[in-house]
Structures are given as C-alpha cells and as structure tokens.
Amino acid sequence: MNNTDKRILEISYAPLVEYGEAWELQKKAVLAIDSGEQPERLLLLQHPPTYTIGSQNHPEHLLLDSVQLKEKGIALFEIDRGGDITYHGPGQLVGYPLLKLGEESRVDLHGYLRDLEAVIIDYLASYGITGDRKPEYTGVWVGDEKICAIGIKFNKSKFRRGFITSHGFAFNISKGVSNQGFAGIIPCGITEYGVTSLEECTGRTFELEQVARELLPFFLKHFPYSPVGVL
C-alpha cells in the first residue's frame, strides 16, 4: 500500500462479545466492505469462553464431551477459518482485520499471515520479549510456548480482484487464560508445545483495552491505513 494514498481503517474495541455475534458481524462486514458500502475494519474484542474448530476439522482434539462443556460454560463453534481447534476467553485479545487484499498488486496470502505475526512480534519486543515463528506452524511463540494463535479466511471478492480477510489473531494476555480452556483441547493439534501469555512473560498485569491501544501502532506499521474510531 502506498503511504501517500492510505485507505481508511475503522477501528473498534468491545470488552466482551459472544462468538456467534462476532462471527455474524464479520460475515456482514465482509459483504459491505467488498461492495464498497463501508470501509475496511479492525475489530478488537474479547469473547466469553469458546472453542472454535477450523477447516482442518479434528474433533478428536476436543477433550471434553457435551456435558463437560455445559458444566464449564464453554461454547463450541465449527467455523470457516483455516486451522484446527483453539480457545477464546476473557483475558485474551482477539483481533479481526477485515481487509481488502490484492487490489493494487499480486495477492500474497502467506505474506499477510507473516505481517500479522510481525505485529505481535514487534509488540512483544517493546516489552523486551523475544517473540518468534516456528516454520511448521502459524502463530507467534515465546520459546516453545504459543502466545498468539492465527487463523484466517480469505473471502474471494465478488466485485474486484483479490480477497477480503476475516477471522484473525488471538493474543493471550492474562495469566490465567493459558491454564483455562486450553486444558480441554489439544491447541491447534500441537502436543509437543505449551501455551503462555503476556502477563506470564512479563510478570506484569495488563488491561485488555490498554493492550488494544498499545498494539494499534504496531498494526498500522505493517498495515499503513488511516485509522478512524476511538479505543
């Protein structure tokens, strides 16, 4: 994207949104963005305890039955993003970038994923934490523990070349989140590595809205839009 011709990016933050509501919002926004009815968007939010199973579709990686899910108050959705099973819950910052890809140049879908990882890696570096990638997996890691999961859907445009992105990243912030719902799944089907959070890595306490505000400049570094909206 040419820095002298930045597109508008509508930013919003919500403290807590049911997963199904956010999913429907994404679907409607993708259609509106594609048709030009609204600008591209970045949704930043938290979800109540929820498991989502992506297109790799490995239900065996869910370790709880329906009774246990109800007892724990964890919702379950089979959804249309890439990837395997993951957990969303309070204390985790979820970001849904709804962006147009491929209008100006060749579509680089892998590059988009690497740019999302770079946003989190750069943010972690601002707190002296070394975030990294693992070649065989998507997401961001601190050592052998995942701190941010990424799962994307590329929606083919009906009106122009390219795609509209949906779904996004799940960044573990609060100390408890890595020990909550992740115990009931094999996260992303990965058995050999663990899960961590920003608070565990820094020894500090964070408010989710604070992290959303701090993360935004790093997002705009890799996705140079003109932001509108207030966090």
Side-chain angles (χ1 to χ4, degrees), residues 38-66:
Q38 70 175 54
E40 294 161 275
R41 301 183 69 180
L42 172 62
L43 309 178
L44 298 168
L45 46 82
Q46 295 180 88
H47 289 306
T50 305
Y51 291 134
T52 63
I53 299 177
S55 60
Q56 289 184 14
N57 195 23
H58 288 285
E60 70 274 15
H61 294 161
L62 173 61
L63 306 179
L64 305 177
D65 61 28
S66 59

PDB file of all heavy atoms in Angstrom, residues 38-66:
ATOM      1  N   GLN A  38     -18.946   0.153   3.195  1.00  0.00           N
ATOM      2  CA  GLN A  38     -18.283   0.591   4.416  1.00  0.00           C
ATOM      3  C   GLN A  38     -16.783   0.399   4.270  1.00  0.00           C
ATOM      4  O   GLN A  38     -16.322  -0.389   3.430  1.00  0.00           O
ATOM      5  CB  GLN A  38     -18.803  -0.164   5.638  1.00  0.00           C
ATOM      6  CG  GLN A  38     -18.400  -1.624   5.717  1.00  0.00           C
ATOM      7  CD  GLN A  38     -18.851  -2.268   7.015  1.00  0.00           C
ATOM      8  OE1 GLN A  38     -20.017  -2.237   7.387  1.00  0.00           O
ATOM      9  NE2 GLN A  38     -17.917  -2.854   7.737  1.00  0.00           N
ATOM     10  N   PRO A  39     -15.982   1.124   5.070  1.00  0.00           N
ATOM     11  CA  PRO A  39     -14.530   0.987   4.977  1.00  0.00           C
ATOM     12  C   PRO A  39     -14.051  -0.330   5.583  1.00  0.00           C
ATOM     13  O   PRO A  39     -14.798  -1.031   6.269  1.00  0.00           O
ATOM     14  CB  PRO A  39     -14.013   2.176   5.789  1.00  0.00           C
ATOM     15  CG  PRO A  39     -15.105   2.490   6.752  1.00  0.00           C
ATOM     16  CD  PRO A  39     -16.384   2.169   6.032  1.00  0.00           C
ATOM     17  N   GLU A  40     -12.815  -0.643   5.312  1.00  0.00           N
ATOM     18  CA  GLU A  40     -12.189  -1.793   5.947  1.00  0.00           C
ATOM     19  C   GLU A  40     -12.167  -1.586   7.462  1.00  0.00           C
ATOM     20  O   GLU A  40     -12.206  -0.462   7.952  1.00  0.00           O
ATOM     21  CB  GLU A  40     -10.778  -1.978   5.383  1.00  0.00           C
ATOM     22  CG  GLU A  40     -10.804  -2.351   3.905  1.00  0.00           C
ATOM     23  CD  GLU A  40      -9.496  -2.100   3.203  1.00  0.00           C
ATOM     24  OE1 GLU A  40      -9.274  -0.952   2.749  1.00  0.00           O
ATOM     25  OE2 GLU A  40      -8.695  -3.039   3.099  1.00  0.00           O
ATOM     26  N   ARG A  41     -12.091  -2.706   8.206  1.00  0.00           N
ATOM     27  CA  ARG A  41     -12.277  -2.614   9.653  1.00  0.00           C
ATOM     28  C   ARG A  41     -11.250  -3.460  10.394  1.00  0.00           C
ATOM     29  O   ARG A  41     -10.750  -4.467   9.877  1.00  0.00           O
ATOM     30  CB  ARG A  41     -13.680  -3.088  10.054  1.00  0.00           C
ATOM     31  CG  ARG A  41     -14.813  -2.325   9.426  1.00  0.00           C
ATOM     32  CD  ARG A  41     -16.171  -2.796   9.928  1.00  0.00           C
ATOM     33  NE  ARG A  41     -16.368  -2.442  11.331  1.00  0.00           N
ATOM     34  CZ  ARG A  41     -17.478  -2.735  12.019  1.00  0.00           C
ATOM     35  NH1 ARG A  41     -18.464  -3.396  11.436  1.00  0.00           N
ATOM     36  NH2 ARG A  41     -17.605  -2.367  13.281  1.00  0.00           N
ATOM     37  N   LEU A  42     -10.982  -3.054  11.623  1.00  0.00           N
ATOM     38  CA  LEU A  42     -10.235  -3.876  12.572  1.00  0.00           C
ATOM     39  C   LEU A  42     -11.067  -3.958  13.838  1.00  0.00           C
ATOM     40  O   LEU A  42     -11.288  -2.946  14.515  1.00  0.00           O
ATOM     41  CB  LEU A  42      -8.867  -3.279  12.876  1.00  0.00           C
ATOM     42  CG  LEU A  42      -8.076  -3.975  14.002  1.00  0.00           C
ATOM     43  CD1 LEU A  42      -7.776  -5.430  13.654  1.00  0.00           C
ATOM     44  CD2 LEU A  42      -6.781  -3.216  14.301  1.00  0.00           C
ATOM     45  N   LEU A  43     -11.563  -5.152  14.141  1.00  0.00           N
ATOM     46  CA  LEU A  43     -12.348  -5.383  15.347  1.00  0.00           C
ATOM     47  C   LEU A  43     -11.431  -5.963  16.414  1.00  0.00           C
ATOM     48  O   LEU A  43     -10.786  -6.991  16.196  1.00  0.00           O
ATOM     49  CB  LEU A  43     -13.485  -6.368  15.067  1.00  0.00           C
ATOM     50  CG  LEU A  43     -14.391  -6.076  13.868  1.00  0.00           C
ATOM     51  CD1 LEU A  43     -15.418  -7.190  13.717  1.00  0.00           C
ATOM     52  CD2 LEU A  43     -15.070  -4.734  14.024  1.00  0.00           C
ATOM     53  N   LEU A  44     -11.367  -5.330  17.575  1.00  0.00           N
ATOM     54  CA  LEU A  44     -10.593  -5.807  18.710  1.00  0.00           C
ATOM     55  C   LEU A  44     -11.563  -6.067  19.853  1.00  0.00           C
ATOM     56  O   LEU A  44     -12.367  -5.196  20.203  1.00  0.00           O
ATOM     57  CB  LEU A  44      -9.541  -4.778  19.127  1.00  0.00           C
ATOM     58  CG  LEU A  44      -8.481  -4.463  18.064  1.00  0.00           C
ATOM     59  CD1 LEU A  44      -7.674  -3.223  18.458  1.00  0.00           C
ATOM     60  CD2 LEU A  44      -7.551  -5.652  17.870  1.00  0.00           C
ATOM     61  N   LEU A  45     -11.494  -7.267  20.446  1.00  0.00           N
ATOM     62  CA  LEU A  45     -12.516  -7.635  21.425  1.00  0.00           C
ATOM     63  C   LEU A  45     -12.068  -8.828  22.258  1.00  0.00           C
ATOM     64  O   LEU A  45     -10.978  -9.369  22.071  1.00  0.00           O
ATOM     65  CB  LEU A  45     -13.828  -7.954  20.691  1.00  0.00           C
ATOM     66  CG  LEU A  45     -13.740  -8.865  19.446  1.00  0.00           C
ATOM     67  CD1 LEU A  45     -13.688 -10.328  19.844  1.00  0.00           C
ATOM     68  CD2 LEU A  45     -14.916  -8.629  18.516  1.00  0.00           C
ATOM     69  N   GLN A  46     -12.924  -9.203  23.194  1.00  0.00           N
ATOM     70  CA  GLN A  46     -12.796 -10.443  23.942  1.00  0.00           C
ATOM     71  C   GLN A  46     -14.052 -11.286  23.720  1.00  0.00           C
ATOM     72  O   GLN A  46     -15.119 -10.742  23.441  1.00  0.00           O
ATOM     73  CB  GLN A  46     -12.681 -10.177  25.445  1.00  0.00           C
ATOM     74  CG  GLN A  46     -11.438  -9.443  25.891  1.00  0.00           C
ATOM     75  CD  GLN A  46     -11.448  -9.259  27.397  1.00  0.00           C
ATOM     76  OE1 GLN A  46     -10.987 -10.115  28.146  1.00  0.00           O
ATOM     77  NE2 GLN A  46     -11.979  -8.130  27.852  1.00  0.00           N
ATOM     78  N   HIS A  47     -13.907 -12.593  23.882  1.00  0.00           N
ATOM     79  CA  HIS A  47     -15.048 -13.495  23.819  1.00  0.00           C
ATOM     80  C   HIS A  47     -15.259 -14.162  25.177  1.00  0.00           C
ATOM     81  O   HIS A  47     -14.304 -14.378  25.933  1.00  0.00           O
ATOM     82  CB  HIS A  47     -14.811 -14.598  22.793  1.00  0.00           C
ATOM     83  CG  HIS A  47     -14.845 -14.131  21.372  1.00  0.00           C
ATOM     84  ND1 HIS A  47     -15.897 -13.431  20.839  1.00  0.00           N
ATOM     85  CD2 HIS A  47     -13.952 -14.283  20.350  1.00  0.00           C
ATOM     86  CE1 HIS A  47     -15.657 -13.153  19.570  1.00  0.00           C
ATOM     87  NE2 HIS A  47     -14.484 -13.665  19.246  1.00  0.00           N
ATOM     88  N   PRO A  48     -16.497 -14.549  25.491  1.00  0.00           N
ATOM     89  CA  PRO A  48     -16.712 -15.480  26.598  1.00  0.00           C
ATOM     90  C   PRO A  48     -16.039 -16.811  26.266  1.00  0.00           C
ATOM     91  O   PRO A  48     -15.653 -17.043  25.115  1.00  0.00           O
ATOM     92  CB  PRO A  48     -18.239 -15.629  26.653  1.00  0.00           C
ATOM     93  CG  PRO A  48     -18.789 -14.531  25.817  1.00  0.00           C
ATOM     94  CD  PRO A  48     -17.742 -14.188  24.801  1.00  0.00           C
ATOM     95  N   PRO A  49     -15.886 -17.711  27.226  1.00  0.00           N
ATOM     96  CA  PRO A  49     -15.209 -18.981  26.960  1.00  0.00           C
ATOM     97  C   PRO A  49     -15.816 -19.727  25.763  1.00  0.00           C
ATOM     98  O   PRO A  49     -17.011 -20.033  25.751  1.00  0.00           O
ATOM     99  CB  PRO A  49     -15.397 -19.761  28.266  1.00  0.00           C
ATOM    100  CG  PRO A  49     -15.495 -18.691  29.311  1.00  0.00           C
ATOM    101  CD  PRO A  49     -16.256 -17.578  28.653  1.00  0.00           C
ATOM    102  N   THR A  50     -14.972 -19.995  24.765  1.00  0.00           N
ATOM    103  CA  THR A  50     -15.444 -20.560  23.496  1.00  0.00           C
ATOM    104  C   THR A  50     -14.348 -21.411  22.873  1.00  0.00           C
ATOM    105  O   THR A  50     -13.181 -21.027  22.860  1.00  0.00           O
ATOM    106  CB  THR A  50     -15.795 -19.431  22.500  1.00  0.00           C
ATOM    107  OG1 THR A  50     -16.734 -18.539  23.088  1.00  0.00           O
ATOM    108  CG2 THR A  50     -16.370 -20.000  21.216  1.00  0.00           C
ATOM    109  N   TYR A  51     -14.740 -22.567  22.339  1.00  0.00           N
ATOM    110  CA  TYR A  51     -13.858 -23.336  21.462  1.00  0.00           C
ATOM    111  C   TYR A  51     -14.327 -23.145  20.022  1.00  0.00           C
ATOM    112  O   TYR A  51     -15.533 -23.175  19.747  1.00  0.00           O
ATOM    113  CB  TYR A  51     -13.900 -24.832  21.789  1.00  0.00           C
ATOM    114  CG  TYR A  51     -13.282 -25.212  23.112  1.00  0.00           C
ATOM    115  CD1 TYR A  51     -13.941 -26.082  23.982  1.00  0.00           C
ATOM    116  CD2 TYR A  51     -12.041 -24.721  23.490  1.00  0.00           C
ATOM    117  CE1 TYR A  51     -13.379 -26.448  25.194  1.00  0.00           C
ATOM    118  CE2 TYR A  51     -11.468 -25.077  24.704  1.00  0.00           C
ATOM    119  CZ  TYR A  51     -12.146 -25.936  25.551  1.00  0.00           C
ATOM    120  OH  TYR A  51     -11.587 -26.287  26.750  1.00  0.00           O
ATOM    121  N   THR A  52     -13.379 -22.967  19.119  1.00  0.00           N
ATOM    122  CA  THR A  52     -13.710 -22.932  17.699  1.00  0.00           C
ATOM    123  C   THR A  52     -12.880 -23.987  16.970  1.00  0.00           C
ATOM    124  O   THR A  52     -11.680 -24.126  17.215  1.00  0.00           O
ATOM    125  CB  THR A  52     -13.450 -21.550  17.073  1.00  0.00           C
ATOM    126  OG1 THR A  52     -12.051 -21.223  17.142  1.00  0.00           O
ATOM    127  CG2 THR A  52     -14.253 -20.476  17.783  1.00  0.00           C
ATOM    128  N   ILE A  53     -13.544 -24.715  16.084  1.00  0.00           N
ATOM    129  CA  ILE A  53     -12.889 -25.751  15.276  1.00  0.00           C
ATOM    130  C   ILE A  53     -12.849 -25.252  13.839  1.00  0.00           C
ATOM    131  O   ILE A  53     -13.888 -24.983  13.240  1.00  0.00           O
ATOM    132  CB  ILE A  53     -13.646 -27.083  15.357  1.00  0.00           C
ATOM    133  CG1 ILE A  53     -13.681 -27.587  16.803  1.00  0.00           C
ATOM    134  CG2 ILE A  53     -12.988 -28.119  14.454  1.00  0.00           C
ATOM    135  CD1 ILE A  53     -14.474 -28.874  16.990  1.00  0.00           C
ATOM    136  N   GLY A  54     -11.640 -25.098  13.298  1.00  0.00           N
ATOM    137  CA  GLY A  54     -11.471 -24.589  11.945  1.00  0.00           C
ATOM    138  C   GLY A  54     -11.596 -25.656  10.884  1.00  0.00           C
ATOM    139  O   GLY A  54     -11.987 -26.809  11.141  1.00  0.00           O
ATOM    140  N   SER A  55     -11.212 -25.296   9.662  1.00  0.00           N
ATOM    141  CA  SER A  55     -11.459 -26.150   8.495  1.00  0.00           C
ATOM    142  C   SER A  55     -10.637 -27.435   8.488  1.00  0.00           C
ATOM    143  O   SER A  55     -10.960 -28.366   7.747  1.00  0.00           O
ATOM    144  CB  SER A  55     -11.184 -25.353   7.214  1.00  0.00           C
ATOM    145  OG  SER A  55      -9.838 -24.905   7.179  1.00  0.00           O
ATOM    146  N   GLN A  56      -9.573 -27.506   9.299  1.00  0.00           N
ATOM    147  CA  GLN A  56      -8.839 -28.775   9.379  1.00  0.00           C
ATOM    148  C   GLN A  56      -9.703 -29.865  10.016  1.00  0.00           C
ATOM    149  O   GLN A  56      -9.472 -31.047   9.804  1.00  0.00           O
ATOM    150  CB  GLN A  56      -7.542 -28.592  10.154  1.00  0.00           C
ATOM    151  CG  GLN A  56      -6.492 -27.784   9.405  1.00  0.00           C
ATOM    152  CD  GLN A  56      -5.183 -27.711  10.158  1.00  0.00           C
ATOM    153  OE1 GLN A  56      -4.942 -28.465  11.113  1.00  0.00           O
ATOM    154  NE2 GLN A  56      -4.305 -26.804   9.752  1.00  0.00           N
ATOM    155  N   ASN A  57     -10.655 -29.441  10.869  1.00  0.00           N
ATOM    156  CA  ASN A  57     -11.732 -30.303  11.369  1.00  0.00           C
ATOM    157  C   ASN A  57     -11.216 -31.587  12.025  1.00  0.00           C
ATOM    158  O   ASN A  57     -11.399 -32.687  11.504  1.00  0.00           O
ATOM    159  CB  ASN A  57     -12.728 -30.636  10.249  1.00  0.00           C
ATOM    160  CG  ASN A  57     -14.029 -31.201  10.800  1.00  0.00           C
ATOM    161  OD1 ASN A  57     -14.351 -30.959  11.961  1.00  0.00           O
ATOM    162  ND2 ASN A  57     -14.746 -31.927   9.971  1.00  0.00           N
ATOM    163  N   HIS A  58     -10.603 -31.414  13.211  1.00  0.00           N
ATOM    164  CA  HIS A  58     -10.166 -32.558  14.013  1.00  0.00           C
ATOM    165  C   HIS A  58     -10.919 -32.546  15.332  1.00  0.00           C
ATOM    166  O   HIS A  58     -10.394 -32.100  16.360  1.00  0.00           O
ATOM    167  CB  HIS A  58      -8.658 -32.492  14.262  1.00  0.00           C
ATOM    168  CG  HIS A  58      -7.831 -32.788  13.061  1.00  0.00           C
ATOM    169  ND1 HIS A  58      -7.656 -34.065  12.573  1.00  0.00           N
ATOM    170  CD2 HIS A  58      -7.144 -31.973  12.236  1.00  0.00           C
ATOM    171  CE1 HIS A  58      -6.886 -34.024  11.498  1.00  0.00           C
ATOM    172  NE2 HIS A  58      -6.567 -32.767  11.261  1.00  0.00           N
ATOM    173  N   PRO A  59     -12.158 -33.038  15.350  1.00  0.00           N
ATOM    174  CA  PRO A  59     -12.933 -33.013  16.595  1.00  0.00           C
ATOM    175  C   PRO A  59     -12.284 -33.810  17.712  1.00  0.00           C
ATOM    176  O   PRO A  59     -12.585 -33.584  18.888  1.00  0.00           O
ATOM    177  CB  PRO A  59     -14.290 -33.612  16.181  1.00  0.00           C
ATOM    178  CG  PRO A  59     -14.022 -34.364  14.923  1.00  0.00           C
ATOM    179  CD  PRO A  59     -12.912 -33.635  14.231  1.00  0.00           C
ATOM    180  N   GLU A  60     -11.402 -34.743  17.371  1.00  0.00           N
ATOM    181  CA  GLU A  60     -10.719 -35.524  18.402  1.00  0.00           C
ATOM    182  C   GLU A  60      -9.775 -34.680  19.252  1.00  0.00           C
ATOM    183  O   GLU A  60      -9.335 -35.103  20.328  1.00  0.00           O
ATOM    184  CB  GLU A  60      -9.953 -36.697  17.771  1.00  0.00           C
ATOM    185  CG  GLU A  60      -8.728 -36.310  16.943  1.00  0.00           C
ATOM    186  CD  GLU A  60      -9.056 -35.976  15.493  1.00  0.00           C
ATOM    187  OE1 GLU A  60     -10.244 -35.757  15.177  1.00  0.00           O
ATOM    188  OE2 GLU A  60      -8.103 -35.944  14.685  1.00  0.00           O
ATOM    189  N   HIS A  61      -9.458 -33.469  18.774  1.00  0.00           N
ATOM    190  CA  HIS A  61      -8.600 -32.571  19.560  1.00  0.00           C
ATOM    191  C   HIS A  61      -9.376 -31.816  20.630  1.00  0.00           C
ATOM    192  O   HIS A  61      -8.792 -31.086  21.416  1.00  0.00           O
ATOM    193  CB  HIS A  61      -7.871 -31.591  18.631  1.00  0.00           C
ATOM    194  CG  HIS A  61      -6.895 -32.281  17.729  1.00  0.00           C
ATOM    195  ND1 HIS A  61      -6.417 -31.707  16.569  1.00  0.00           N
ATOM    196  CD2 HIS A  61      -6.294 -33.503  17.815  1.00  0.00           C
ATOM    197  CE1 HIS A  61      -5.574 -32.535  15.979  1.00  0.00           C
ATOM    198  NE2 HIS A  61      -5.491 -33.631  16.714  1.00  0.00           N
ATOM    199  N   LEU A  62     -10.700 -32.006  20.669  1.00  0.00           N
ATOM    200  CA  LEU A  62     -11.531 -31.522  21.769  1.00  0.00           C
ATOM    201  C   LEU A  62     -11.626 -32.641  22.793  1.00  0.00           C
ATOM    202  O   LEU A  62     -12.096 -33.738  22.481  1.00  0.00           O
ATOM    203  CB  LEU A  62     -12.924 -31.137  21.264  1.00  0.00           C
ATOM    204  CG  LEU A  62     -13.962 -30.759  22.320  1.00  0.00           C
ATOM    205  CD1 LEU A  62     -13.518 -29.547  23.120  1.00  0.00           C
ATOM    206  CD2 LEU A  62     -15.320 -30.526  21.673  1.00  0.00           C
ATOM    207  N   LEU A  63     -11.168 -32.393  24.018  1.00  0.00           N
ATOM    208  CA  LEU A  63     -11.046 -33.435  25.028  1.00  0.00           C
ATOM    209  C   LEU A  63     -12.240 -33.504  25.968  1.00  0.00           C
ATOM    210  O   LEU A  63     -12.268 -34.345  26.869  1.00  0.00           O
ATOM    211  CB  LEU A  63      -9.763 -33.209  25.836  1.00  0.00           C
ATOM    212  CG  LEU A  63      -8.476 -33.083  25.008  1.00  0.00           C
ATOM    213  CD1 LEU A  63      -7.282 -32.848  25.922  1.00  0.00           C
ATOM    214  CD2 LEU A  63      -8.261 -34.318  24.149  1.00  0.00           C
ATOM    215  N   LEU A  64     -13.225 -32.630  25.780  1.00  0.00           N
ATOM    216  CA  LEU A  64     -14.393 -32.581  26.648  1.00  0.00           C
ATOM    217  C   LEU A  64     -15.633 -33.023  25.877  1.00  0.00           C
ATOM    218  O   LEU A  64     -15.753 -32.739  24.683  1.00  0.00           O
ATOM    219  CB  LEU A  64     -14.610 -31.158  27.174  1.00  0.00           C
ATOM    220  CG  LEU A  64     -13.432 -30.499  27.895  1.00  0.00           C
ATOM    221  CD1 LEU A  64     -13.784 -29.078  28.285  1.00  0.00           C
ATOM    222  CD2 LEU A  64     -13.032 -31.307  29.124  1.00  0.00           C
ATOM    223  N   ASP A  65     -16.558 -33.683  26.569  1.00  0.00           N
ATOM    224  CA  ASP A  65     -17.823 -34.035  25.923  1.00  0.00           C
ATOM    225  C   ASP A  65     -18.838 -32.917  26.141  1.00  0.00           C
ATOM    226  O   ASP A  65     -18.558 -31.910  26.801  1.00  0.00           O
ATOM    227  CB  ASP A  65     -18.342 -35.382  26.426  1.00  0.00           C
ATOM    228  CG  ASP A  65     -18.617 -35.413  27.928  1.00  0.00           C
ATOM    229  OD1 ASP A  65     -18.927 -34.347  28.512  1.00  0.00           O
ATOM    230  OD2 ASP A  65     -18.543 -36.505  28.525  1.00  0.00           O
ATOM    231  N   SER A  66     -20.036 -33.083  25.595  1.00  0.00           N
ATOM    232  CA  SER A  66     -21.036 -32.021  25.642  1.00  0.00           C
ATOM    233  C   SER A  66     -21.453 -31.693  27.078  1.00  0.00           C
ATOM    234  O   SER A  66     -21.726 -30.526  27.397  1.00  0.00           O
ATOM    235  CB  SER A  66     -22.260 -32.416  24.812  1.00  0.00           C
ATOM    236  OG  SER A  66     -22.832 -33.623  25.298  1.00  0.00           O
TER     237      SER A  66
END
